[in-house]
């Protein structure tokens, strides 16, 4: 795992070298439209306000719940119990990136989504709230965390669009894939290590199609994750990747005649 100072230096380098997304270095019409409709737009809707109100409630929640972690652990310590507010503060995707994921679902017209790593459920809710989204399957290893996420879905009246699968991903993921078939959008936010990331990729790939998008979380979190991201970029099925530093986006469009990789400031 990288130290905080190393991440800061990497992020500063990213800011200095990434395209600003306003046309410079963007020669792909698809990516240019992605920048305009996903990165540059400030548009939101009532769902954004509702979900952020729930996030604020989680941040103020001082109750303590047991934690069961099957993954690489937390950046902020591997305790067996944590305050809900601490989980919300450190583990949830920021509003900026949760909204980006919602807009990406809108942009791609996704109707089905799979999320590896529910946490307290705010990003799951953003996915389910995207127009056209019919069903989100989400996987969470920790029973107490899954229960809090389910309470959030009920509070937002999104429970009919979200199915949460509780337990070790090694057991739950194959079952979900076998039952549900192909997905339009997949968010990989589970085990931030090299080998598990590649294992998930190989499991997930047969359940994508030419218009699918895979979001890989924390691609610069550690050297292992950077190696995994570089490996994913080299896979023959991948036609386009976009590095936004905290997340990487992977596309499979068969009408792209040449593999393209973009790093765009966000």
């Amino acid at each position: 795992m990288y130290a905080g100072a190393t991440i800061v230096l990497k992020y500063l380098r990213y800011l200095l070298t990434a395209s600003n997304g306003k046309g410079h270095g963007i020669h792909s019409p698809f990516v240019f439209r992605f920048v305009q409709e996903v990165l540059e737009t400030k548009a939101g809707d009532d769902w954004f306000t509702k979900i952020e109100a729930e996030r604020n409630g989680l941040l103020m929640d001082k109750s303590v719940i047991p934690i069961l972690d099957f993954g690489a652990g937390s950046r902020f310590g591997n305790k067996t119990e944590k305050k809900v507010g601490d989980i919300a503060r450190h583990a949830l995707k920021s509003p900026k990136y949760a909204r980006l994921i919602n807009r990406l679902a809108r942009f791609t017209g996704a109707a089905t989504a799979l999320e590896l790593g529910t946490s307290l459920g705010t990003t799951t809710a953003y996915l389910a709230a995207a127009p056209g989204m019919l069903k989100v399957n989400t996987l969470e290893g920790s029973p107490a965390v899954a229960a809090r996420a389910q309470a959030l879905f009920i509070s937002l009246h999104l429970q009919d669009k979200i199915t949460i699968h509780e337990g070790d991903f090694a057991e739950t993921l194959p079952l979900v894939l076998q039952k549900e078939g192909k997905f339009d959008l997949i968010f990989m936010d589970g085990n931030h290590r090299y080998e598990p990331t590649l294992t998930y990729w190989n499991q997930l790939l047969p359940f994508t199609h030419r218009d699918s998008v895979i979001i890989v979380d924390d691609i610069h979190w550690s050297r292992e994750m950077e190696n995994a991201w570089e490996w994913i970029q080299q896979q023959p099925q991948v036609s386009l990747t976009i590095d936004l530093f905290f997340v990487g986006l992977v596309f499979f469009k068969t009408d792209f005649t040449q593999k393209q990789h973009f790093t765009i400031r966000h």
Side-chain angles (χ1 to χ4, degrees), residues 77-111:
N78 299 323
K79 299 179 180 178
T80 57
E81 292 185 335
K82 291 182 182 178
K83 292 181 180 178
V84 171
D86 288 341
I87 299 172
R89 191 167 297 107
H90 298 308
L92 294 183
K93 217 66 191 154
S94 71
K96 175 180 178 179
Y97 281 92
R99 290 169 180 173
L100 179 148
I101 291 170
N102 172 280
R103 290 177 178 133
L104 180 63
R106 295 170 183 241
F107 176 74
T108 59

PDB file of all heavy atoms in Angstrom, residues 77-111:
ATOM      1  N   GLY A  77      -7.284   1.314   8.914  1.00  0.00           N
ATOM      2  CA  GLY A  77      -7.204   0.375  10.017  1.00  0.00           C
ATOM      3  C   GLY A  77      -8.187  -0.758   9.869  1.00  0.00           C
ATOM      4  O   GLY A  77      -9.302  -0.579   9.397  1.00  0.00           O
ATOM      5  N   ASN A  78      -7.755  -1.943  10.292  1.00  0.00           N
ATOM      6  CA  ASN A  78      -8.574  -3.144  10.137  1.00  0.00           C
ATOM      7  C   ASN A  78      -9.156  -3.560  11.481  1.00  0.00           C
ATOM      8  O   ASN A  78      -8.781  -4.561  12.063  1.00  0.00           O
ATOM      9  CB  ASN A  78      -7.732  -4.271   9.530  1.00  0.00           C
ATOM     10  CG  ASN A  78      -7.213  -3.890   8.162  1.00  0.00           C
ATOM     11  OD1 ASN A  78      -7.907  -3.237   7.394  1.00  0.00           O
ATOM     12  ND2 ASN A  78      -5.995  -4.302   7.872  1.00  0.00           N
ATOM     13  N   LYS A  79     -10.118  -2.775  11.968  1.00  0.00           N
ATOM     14  CA  LYS A  79     -10.766  -3.072  13.234  1.00  0.00           C
ATOM     15  C   LYS A  79     -11.920  -4.039  13.010  1.00  0.00           C
ATOM     16  O   LYS A  79     -12.482  -4.129  11.927  1.00  0.00           O
ATOM     17  CB  LYS A  79     -11.286  -1.777  13.862  1.00  0.00           C
ATOM     18  CG  LYS A  79     -10.194  -0.757  14.171  1.00  0.00           C
ATOM     19  CD  LYS A  79     -10.806   0.512  14.761  1.00  0.00           C
ATOM     20  CE  LYS A  79      -9.730   1.543  15.081  1.00  0.00           C
ATOM     21  NZ  LYS A  79     -10.315   2.801  15.613  1.00  0.00           N
ATOM     22  N   THR A  80     -12.276  -4.760  14.064  1.00  0.00           N
ATOM     23  CA  THR A  80     -13.406  -5.679  13.973  1.00  0.00           C
ATOM     24  C   THR A  80     -14.723  -4.967  14.261  1.00  0.00           C
ATOM     25  O   THR A  80     -15.789  -5.533  14.011  1.00  0.00           O
ATOM     26  CB  THR A  80     -13.227  -6.844  14.950  1.00  0.00           C
ATOM     27  OG1 THR A  80     -13.069  -6.323  16.286  1.00  0.00           O
ATOM     28  CG2 THR A  80     -12.002  -7.668  14.577  1.00  0.00           C
ATOM     29  N   GLU A  81     -14.656  -3.755  14.791  1.00  0.00           N
ATOM     30  CA  GLU A  81     -15.838  -2.932  14.996  1.00  0.00           C
ATOM     31  C   GLU A  81     -15.522  -1.506  14.576  1.00  0.00           C
ATOM     32  O   GLU A  81     -14.395  -1.035  14.762  1.00  0.00           O
ATOM     33  CB  GLU A  81     -16.271  -2.928  16.470  1.00  0.00           C
ATOM     34  CG  GLU A  81     -16.805  -4.259  16.967  1.00  0.00           C
ATOM     35  CD  GLU A  81     -17.333  -4.161  18.390  1.00  0.00           C
ATOM     36  OE1 GLU A  81     -16.864  -3.246  19.120  1.00  0.00           O
ATOM     37  OE2 GLU A  81     -18.195  -4.955  18.769  1.00  0.00           O
ATOM     38  N   LYS A  82     -16.519  -0.829  14.003  1.00  0.00           N
ATOM     39  CA  LYS A  82     -16.314   0.562  13.581  1.00  0.00           C
ATOM     40  C   LYS A  82     -17.596   1.352  13.767  1.00  0.00           C
ATOM     41  O   LYS A  82     -18.703   0.797  13.682  1.00  0.00           O
ATOM     42  CB  LYS A  82     -15.890   0.634  12.108  1.00  0.00           C
ATOM     43  CG  LYS A  82     -14.498   0.100  11.826  1.00  0.00           C
ATOM     44  CD  LYS A  82     -14.134   0.256  10.348  1.00  0.00           C
ATOM     45  CE  LYS A  82     -12.767  -0.329  10.056  1.00  0.00           C
ATOM     46  NZ  LYS A  82     -12.411  -0.220   8.619  1.00  0.00           N
ATOM     47  N   LYS A  83     -17.449   2.648  13.966  1.00  0.00           N
ATOM     48  CA  LYS A  83     -18.608   3.528  13.969  1.00  0.00           C
ATOM     49  C   LYS A  83     -19.113   3.697  12.545  1.00  0.00           C
ATOM     50  O   LYS A  83     -18.318   3.815  11.611  1.00  0.00           O
ATOM     51  CB  LYS A  83     -18.241   4.895  14.554  1.00  0.00           C
ATOM     52  CG  LYS A  83     -17.912   4.890  16.031  1.00  0.00           C
ATOM     53  CD  LYS A  83     -17.585   6.297  16.509  1.00  0.00           C
ATOM     54  CE  LYS A  83     -17.252   6.314  17.997  1.00  0.00           C
ATOM     55  NZ  LYS A  83     -16.882   7.688  18.450  1.00  0.00           N
ATOM     56  N   VAL A  84     -20.416   3.730  12.405  1.00  0.00           N
ATOM     57  CA  VAL A  84     -21.011   3.929  11.085  1.00  0.00           C
ATOM     58  C   VAL A  84     -20.503   5.225  10.476  1.00  0.00           C
ATOM     59  O   VAL A  84     -20.176   5.297   9.279  1.00  0.00           O
ATOM     60  CB  VAL A  84     -22.543   3.942  11.182  1.00  0.00           C
ATOM     61  CG1 VAL A  84     -23.174   4.365   9.854  1.00  0.00           C
ATOM     62  CG2 VAL A  84     -23.056   2.565  11.601  1.00  0.00           C
ATOM     63  N   GLY A  85     -20.380   6.265  11.283  1.00  0.00           N
ATOM     64  CA  GLY A  85     -19.887   7.545  10.784  1.00  0.00           C
ATOM     65  C   GLY A  85     -18.479   7.460  10.240  1.00  0.00           C
ATOM     66  O   GLY A  85     -18.151   8.109   9.233  1.00  0.00           O
ATOM     67  N   ASP A  86     -17.642   6.645  10.869  1.00  0.00           N
ATOM     68  CA  ASP A  86     -16.266   6.487  10.379  1.00  0.00           C
ATOM     69  C   ASP A  86     -16.252   5.736   9.051  1.00  0.00           C
ATOM     70  O   ASP A  86     -15.458   6.057   8.155  1.00  0.00           O
ATOM     71  CB  ASP A  86     -15.420   5.744  11.419  1.00  0.00           C
ATOM     72  CG  ASP A  86     -15.115   6.597  12.641  1.00  0.00           C
ATOM     73  OD1 ASP A  86     -15.231   7.840  12.539  1.00  0.00           O
ATOM     74  OD2 ASP A  86     -14.773   6.031  13.688  1.00  0.00           O
ATOM     75  N   ILE A  87     -17.099   4.725   8.922  1.00  0.00           N
ATOM     76  CA  ILE A  87     -17.188   4.008   7.645  1.00  0.00           C
ATOM     77  C   ILE A  87     -17.640   4.972   6.549  1.00  0.00           C
ATOM     78  O   ILE A  87     -17.077   5.000   5.453  1.00  0.00           O
ATOM     79  CB  ILE A  87     -18.169   2.821   7.750  1.00  0.00           C
ATOM     80  CG1 ILE A  87     -17.696   1.824   8.808  1.00  0.00           C
ATOM     81  CG2 ILE A  87     -18.320   2.130   6.399  1.00  0.00           C
ATOM     82  CD1 ILE A  87     -18.705   0.738   9.113  1.00  0.00           C
ATOM     83  N   ALA A  88     -18.655   5.765   6.862  1.00  0.00           N
ATOM     84  CA  ALA A  88     -19.166   6.726   5.878  1.00  0.00           C
ATOM     85  C   ALA A  88     -18.100   7.735   5.478  1.00  0.00           C
ATOM     86  O   ALA A  88     -17.984   8.108   4.302  1.00  0.00           O
ATOM     87  CB  ALA A  88     -20.388   7.446   6.451  1.00  0.00           C
ATOM     88  N   ARG A  89     -17.312   8.150   6.451  1.00  0.00           N
ATOM     89  CA  ARG A  89     -16.290   9.174   6.185  1.00  0.00           C
ATOM     90  C   ARG A  89     -15.151   8.630   5.333  1.00  0.00           C
ATOM     91  O   ARG A  89     -14.615   9.336   4.466  1.00  0.00           O
ATOM     92  CB  ARG A  89     -15.753   9.691   7.529  1.00  0.00           C
ATOM     93  CG  ARG A  89     -14.884  10.934   7.451  1.00  0.00           C
ATOM     94  CD  ARG A  89     -14.676  11.525   8.831  1.00  0.00           C
ATOM     95  NE  ARG A  89     -15.939  11.960   9.423  1.00  0.00           N
ATOM     96  CZ  ARG A  89     -16.574  11.336  10.411  1.00  0.00           C
ATOM     97  NH1 ARG A  89     -16.060  10.226  10.940  1.00  0.00           N
ATOM     98  NH2 ARG A  89     -17.710  11.789  10.869  1.00  0.00           N
ATOM     99  N   HIS A  90     -14.769   7.382   5.545  1.00  0.00           N
ATOM    100  CA  HIS A  90     -13.558   6.859   4.924  1.00  0.00           C
ATOM    101  C   HIS A  90     -13.800   5.861   3.785  1.00  0.00           C
ATOM    102  O   HIS A  90     -12.920   5.699   2.930  1.00  0.00           O
ATOM    103  CB  HIS A  90     -12.686   6.177   5.985  1.00  0.00           C
ATOM    104  CG  HIS A  90     -12.223   7.100   7.062  1.00  0.00           C
ATOM    105  ND1 HIS A  90     -11.591   8.300   6.793  1.00  0.00           N
ATOM    106  CD2 HIS A  90     -12.293   7.007   8.419  1.00  0.00           C
ATOM    107  CE1 HIS A  90     -11.296   8.899   7.940  1.00  0.00           C
ATOM    108  NE2 HIS A  90     -11.710   8.134   8.927  1.00  0.00           N
ATOM    109  N   ALA A  91     -14.935   5.190   3.771  1.00  0.00           N
ATOM    110  CA  ALA A  91     -15.127   4.109   2.801  1.00  0.00           C
ATOM    111  C   ALA A  91     -16.063   4.462   1.646  1.00  0.00           C
ATOM    112  O   ALA A  91     -15.990   3.838   0.590  1.00  0.00           O
ATOM    113  CB  ALA A  91     -15.644   2.855   3.515  1.00  0.00           C
ATOM    114  N   LEU A  92     -16.943   5.426   1.841  1.00  0.00           N
ATOM    115  CA  LEU A  92     -17.896   5.757   0.788  1.00  0.00           C
ATOM    116  C   LEU A  92     -17.233   6.573  -0.315  1.00  0.00           C
ATOM    117  O   LEU A  92     -16.357   7.391  -0.066  1.00  0.00           O
ATOM    118  CB  LEU A  92     -19.073   6.555   1.362  1.00  0.00           C
ATOM    119  CG  LEU A  92     -19.979   5.819   2.340  1.00  0.00           C
ATOM    120  CD1 LEU A  92     -21.129   6.719   2.759  1.00  0.00           C
ATOM    121  CD2 LEU A  92     -20.510   4.522   1.739  1.00  0.00           C
ATOM    122  N   LYS A  93     -17.684   6.331  -1.555  1.00  0.00           N
ATOM    123  CA  LYS A  93     -17.227   7.139  -2.679  1.00  0.00           C
ATOM    124  C   LYS A  93     -17.721   8.561  -2.462  1.00  0.00           C
ATOM    125  O   LYS A  93     -18.858   8.781  -2.033  1.00  0.00           O
ATOM    126  CB  LYS A  93     -17.791   6.568  -3.986  1.00  0.00           C
ATOM    127  CG  LYS A  93     -16.832   6.657  -5.146  1.00  0.00           C
ATOM    128  CD  LYS A  93     -15.634   5.785  -4.934  1.00  0.00           C
ATOM    129  CE  LYS A  93     -14.547   6.070  -5.962  1.00  0.00           C
ATOM    130  NZ  LYS A  93     -13.233   5.721  -5.459  1.00  0.00           N
ATOM    131  N   SER A  94     -16.878   9.538  -2.741  1.00  0.00           N
ATOM    132  CA  SER A  94     -17.240  10.932  -2.530  1.00  0.00           C
ATOM    133  C   SER A  94     -18.440  11.304  -3.398  1.00  0.00           C
ATOM    134  O   SER A  94     -18.717  10.654  -4.420  1.00  0.00           O
ATOM    135  CB  SER A  94     -16.067  11.839  -2.883  1.00  0.00           C
ATOM    136  OG  SER A  94     -15.858  11.851  -4.291  1.00  0.00           O
ATOM    137  N   PRO A  95     -19.191  12.360  -3.023  1.00  0.00           N
ATOM    138  CA  PRO A  95     -20.303  12.803  -3.868  1.00  0.00           C
ATOM    139  C   PRO A  95     -19.874  13.059  -5.311  1.00  0.00           C
ATOM    140  O   PRO A  95     -20.608  12.723  -6.249  1.00  0.00           O
ATOM    141  CB  PRO A  95     -20.770  14.088  -3.183  1.00  0.00           C
ATOM    142  CG  PRO A  95     -20.397  13.906  -1.753  1.00  0.00           C
ATOM    143  CD  PRO A  95     -19.095  13.140  -1.776  1.00  0.00           C
ATOM    144  N   LYS A  96     -18.700  13.617  -5.501  1.00  0.00           N
ATOM    145  CA  LYS A  96     -18.212  13.919  -6.844  1.00  0.00           C
ATOM    146  C   LYS A  96     -18.153  12.658  -7.704  1.00  0.00           C
ATOM    147  O   LYS A  96     -18.619  12.657  -8.854  1.00  0.00           O
ATOM    148  CB  LYS A  96     -16.821  14.558  -6.746  1.00  0.00           C
ATOM    149  CG  LYS A  96     -16.139  14.807  -8.078  1.00  0.00           C
ATOM    150  CD  LYS A  96     -14.770  15.435  -7.869  1.00  0.00           C
ATOM    151  CE  LYS A  96     -14.043  15.648  -9.177  1.00  0.00           C
ATOM    152  NZ  LYS A  96     -12.722  16.291  -8.981  1.00  0.00           N
ATOM    153  N   TYR A  97     -17.595  11.588  -7.170  1.00  0.00           N
ATOM    154  CA  TYR A  97     -17.423  10.372  -7.967  1.00  0.00           C
ATOM    155  C   TYR A  97     -18.696   9.526  -7.987  1.00  0.00           C
ATOM    156  O   TYR A  97     -18.958   8.828  -8.975  1.00  0.00           O
ATOM    157  CB  TYR A  97     -16.227   9.572  -7.465  1.00  0.00           C
ATOM    158  CG  TYR A  97     -14.930  10.166  -7.958  1.00  0.00           C
ATOM    159  CD1 TYR A  97     -14.245  11.102  -7.197  1.00  0.00           C
ATOM    160  CD2 TYR A  97     -14.418   9.844  -9.208  1.00  0.00           C
ATOM    161  CE1 TYR A  97     -13.069  11.691  -7.664  1.00  0.00           C
ATOM    162  CE2 TYR A  97     -13.259  10.420  -9.676  1.00  0.00           C
ATOM    163  CZ  TYR A  97     -12.587  11.341  -8.910  1.00  0.00           C
ATOM    164  OH  TYR A  97     -11.446  11.928  -9.382  1.00  0.00           O
ATOM    165  N   ALA A  98     -19.498   9.578  -6.943  1.00  0.00           N
ATOM    166  CA  ALA A  98     -20.776   8.867  -6.970  1.00  0.00           C
ATOM    167  C   ALA A  98     -21.678   9.472  -8.045  1.00  0.00           C
ATOM    168  O   ALA A  98     -22.355   8.751  -8.786  1.00  0.00           O
ATOM    169  CB  ALA A  98     -21.444   8.934  -5.602  1.00  0.00           C
ATOM    170  N   ARG A  99     -21.664  10.796  -8.152  1.00  0.00           N
ATOM    171  CA  ARG A  99     -22.461  11.459  -9.187  1.00  0.00           C
ATOM    172  C   ARG A  99     -21.899  11.153 -10.570  1.00  0.00           C
ATOM    173  O   ARG A  99     -22.659  10.998 -11.529  1.00  0.00           O
ATOM    174  CB  ARG A  99     -22.484  12.963  -8.927  1.00  0.00           C
ATOM    175  CG  ARG A  99     -23.290  13.334  -7.702  1.00  0.00           C
ATOM    176  CD  ARG A  99     -23.094  14.778  -7.300  1.00  0.00           C
ATOM    177  NE  ARG A  99     -23.883  15.105  -6.114  1.00  0.00           N
ATOM    178  CZ  ARG A  99     -23.800  16.246  -5.460  1.00  0.00           C
ATOM    179  NH1 ARG A  99     -22.969  17.190  -5.872  1.00  0.00           N
ATOM    180  NH2 ARG A  99     -24.565  16.457  -4.403  1.00  0.00           N
ATOM    181  N   LEU A 100     -20.575  11.072 -10.675  1.00  0.00           N
ATOM    182  CA  LEU A 100     -19.968  10.697 -11.948  1.00  0.00           C
ATOM    183  C   LEU A 100     -20.461   9.324 -12.386  1.00  0.00           C
ATOM    184  O   LEU A 100     -20.777   9.113 -13.564  1.00  0.00           O
ATOM    185  CB  LEU A 100     -18.445  10.706 -11.821  1.00  0.00           C
ATOM    186  CG  LEU A 100     -17.640  10.315 -13.064  1.00  0.00           C
ATOM    187  CD1 LEU A 100     -16.315  11.078 -13.073  1.00  0.00           C
ATOM    188  CD2 LEU A 100     -17.338   8.818 -13.137  1.00  0.00           C
ATOM    189  N   ILE A 101     -20.537   8.374 -11.456  1.00  0.00           N
ATOM    190  CA  ILE A 101     -20.990   7.033 -11.788  1.00  0.00           C
ATOM    191  C   ILE A 101     -22.450   7.056 -12.228  1.00  0.00           C
ATOM    192  O   ILE A 101     -22.850   6.365 -13.166  1.00  0.00           O
ATOM    193  CB  ILE A 101     -20.750   6.088 -10.594  1.00  0.00           C
ATOM    194  CG1 ILE A 101     -19.236   5.875 -10.411  1.00  0.00           C
ATOM    195  CG2 ILE A 101     -21.477   4.762 -10.774  1.00  0.00           C
ATOM    196  CD1 ILE A 101     -18.852   5.173  -9.131  1.00  0.00           C
ATOM    197  N   ASN A 102     -23.264   7.876 -11.566  1.00  0.00           N
ATOM    198  CA  ASN A 102     -24.652   8.040 -11.979  1.00  0.00           C
ATOM    199  C   ASN A 102     -24.732   8.586 -13.405  1.00  0.00           C
ATOM    200  O   ASN A 102     -25.484   8.076 -14.245  1.00  0.00           O
ATOM    201  CB  ASN A 102     -25.364   8.989 -11.014  1.00  0.00           C
ATOM    202  CG  ASN A 102     -26.761   9.373 -11.455  1.00  0.00           C
ATOM    203  OD1 ASN A 102     -26.928  10.252 -12.304  1.00  0.00           O
ATOM    204  ND2 ASN A 102     -27.761   8.744 -10.868  1.00  0.00           N
ATOM    205  N   ARG A 103     -23.923   9.588 -13.709  1.00  0.00           N
ATOM    206  CA  ARG A 103     -23.944  10.191 -15.050  1.00  0.00           C
ATOM    207  C   ARG A 103     -23.390   9.235 -16.098  1.00  0.00           C
ATOM    208  O   ARG A 103     -23.826   9.240 -17.250  1.00  0.00           O
ATOM    209  CB  ARG A 103     -23.163  11.502 -15.033  1.00  0.00           C
ATOM    210  CG  ARG A 103     -23.863  12.604 -14.244  1.00  0.00           C
ATOM    211  CD  ARG A 103     -23.028  13.868 -14.178  1.00  0.00           C
ATOM    212  NE  ARG A 103     -23.745  14.902 -13.453  1.00  0.00           N
ATOM    213  CZ  ARG A 103     -23.211  15.663 -12.496  1.00  0.00           C
ATOM    214  NH1 ARG A 103     -21.939  15.477 -12.153  1.00  0.00           N
ATOM    215  NH2 ARG A 103     -23.924  16.589 -11.895  1.00  0.00           N
ATOM    216  N   LEU A 104     -22.424   8.410 -15.697  1.00  0.00           N
ATOM    217  CA  LEU A 104     -21.895   7.410 -16.624  1.00  0.00           C
ATOM    218  C   LEU A 104     -22.979   6.394 -16.977  1.00  0.00           C
ATOM    219  O   LEU A 104     -23.105   5.983 -18.136  1.00  0.00           O
ATOM    220  CB  LEU A 104     -20.690   6.706 -16.004  1.00  0.00           C
ATOM    221  CG  LEU A 104     -20.033   5.619 -16.859  1.00  0.00           C
ATOM    222  CD1 LEU A 104     -19.470   6.201 -18.149  1.00  0.00           C
ATOM    223  CD2 LEU A 104     -18.927   4.925 -16.063  1.00  0.00           C
ATOM    224  N   ALA A 105     -23.776   5.996 -15.985  1.00  0.00           N
ATOM    225  CA  ALA A 105     -24.889   5.089 -16.255  1.00  0.00           C
ATOM    226  C   ALA A 105     -25.891   5.733 -17.206  1.00  0.00           C
ATOM    227  O   ALA A 105     -26.409   5.086 -18.126  1.00  0.00           O
ATOM    228  CB  ALA A 105     -25.571   4.688 -14.945  1.00  0.00           C
ATOM    229  N   ARG A 106     -26.156   7.019 -17.005  1.00  0.00           N
ATOM    230  CA  ARG A 106     -27.035   7.750 -17.929  1.00  0.00           C
ATOM    231  C   ARG A 106     -26.434   7.779 -19.334  1.00  0.00           C
ATOM    232  O   ARG A 106     -27.122   7.531 -20.320  1.00  0.00           O
ATOM    233  CB  ARG A 106     -27.222   9.190 -17.453  1.00  0.00           C
ATOM    234  CG  ARG A 106     -27.942   9.375 -16.134  1.00  0.00           C
ATOM    235  CD  ARG A 106     -27.823  10.823 -15.682  1.00  0.00           C
ATOM    236  NE  ARG A 106     -28.440  11.035 -14.381  1.00  0.00           N
ATOM    237  CZ  ARG A 106     -29.461  11.860 -14.180  1.00  0.00           C
ATOM    238  NH1 ARG A 106     -29.968  12.547 -15.182  1.00  0.00           N
ATOM    239  NH2 ARG A 106     -29.977  12.012 -12.978  1.00  0.00           N
ATOM    240  N   PHE A 107     -25.164   8.108 -19.407  1.00  0.00           N
ATOM    241  CA  PHE A 107     -24.461   8.266 -20.689  1.00  0.00           C
ATOM    242  C   PHE A 107     -24.488   6.982 -21.497  1.00  0.00           C
ATOM    243  O   PHE A 107     -24.682   7.004 -22.716  1.00  0.00           O
ATOM    244  CB  PHE A 107     -23.021   8.702 -20.406  1.00  0.00           C
ATOM    245  CG  PHE A 107     -22.140   8.806 -21.614  1.00  0.00           C
ATOM    246  CD1 PHE A 107     -22.270   9.859 -22.520  1.00  0.00           C
ATOM    247  CD2 PHE A 107     -21.152   7.858 -21.852  1.00  0.00           C
ATOM    248  CE1 PHE A 107     -21.447   9.956 -23.634  1.00  0.00           C
ATOM    249  CE2 PHE A 107     -20.327   7.945 -22.963  1.00  0.00           C
ATOM    250  CZ  PHE A 107     -20.479   9.005 -23.857  1.00  0.00           C
ATOM    251  N   THR A 108     -24.284   5.858 -20.838  1.00  0.00           N
ATOM    252  CA  THR A 108     -24.225   4.571 -21.536  1.00  0.00           C
ATOM    253  C   THR A 108     -25.599   3.932 -21.715  1.00  0.00           C
ATOM    254  O   THR A 108     -25.729   2.943 -22.433  1.00  0.00           O
ATOM    255  CB  THR A 108     -23.326   3.583 -20.769  1.00  0.00           C
ATOM    256  OG1 THR A 108     -23.846   3.387 -19.445  1.00  0.00           O
ATOM    257  CG2 THR A 108     -21.893   4.112 -20.682  1.00  0.00           C
ATOM    258  N   GLY A 109     -26.611   4.503 -21.052  1.00  0.00           N
ATOM    259  CA  GLY A 109     -27.942   3.915 -21.132  1.00  0.00           C
ATOM    260  C   GLY A 109     -28.059   2.594 -20.402  1.00  0.00           C
ATOM    261  O   GLY A 109     -28.881   1.741 -20.756  1.00  0.00           O
ATOM    262  N   ALA A 110     -27.261   2.409 -19.360  1.00  0.00           N
ATOM    263  CA  ALA A 110     -27.227   1.133 -18.638  1.00  0.00           C
ATOM    264  C   ALA A 110     -28.584   0.826 -17.999  1.00  0.00           C
ATOM    265  O   ALA A 110     -29.200   1.686 -17.369  1.00  0.00           O
ATOM    266  CB  ALA A 110     -26.142   1.166 -17.572  1.00  0.00           C
ATOM    267  N   ALA A 111     -29.009  -0.423 -18.151  1.00  0.00           N
ATOM    268  CA  ALA A 111     -30.244  -0.892 -17.522  1.00  0.00           C
ATOM    269  C   ALA A 111     -29.967  -1.906 -16.415  1.00  0.00           C
ATOM    270  O   ALA A 111     -30.797  -2.105 -15.540  1.00  0.00           O
ATOM    271  CB  ALA A 111     -31.168  -1.507 -18.558  1.00  0.00           C
TER     272      ALA A 111
END
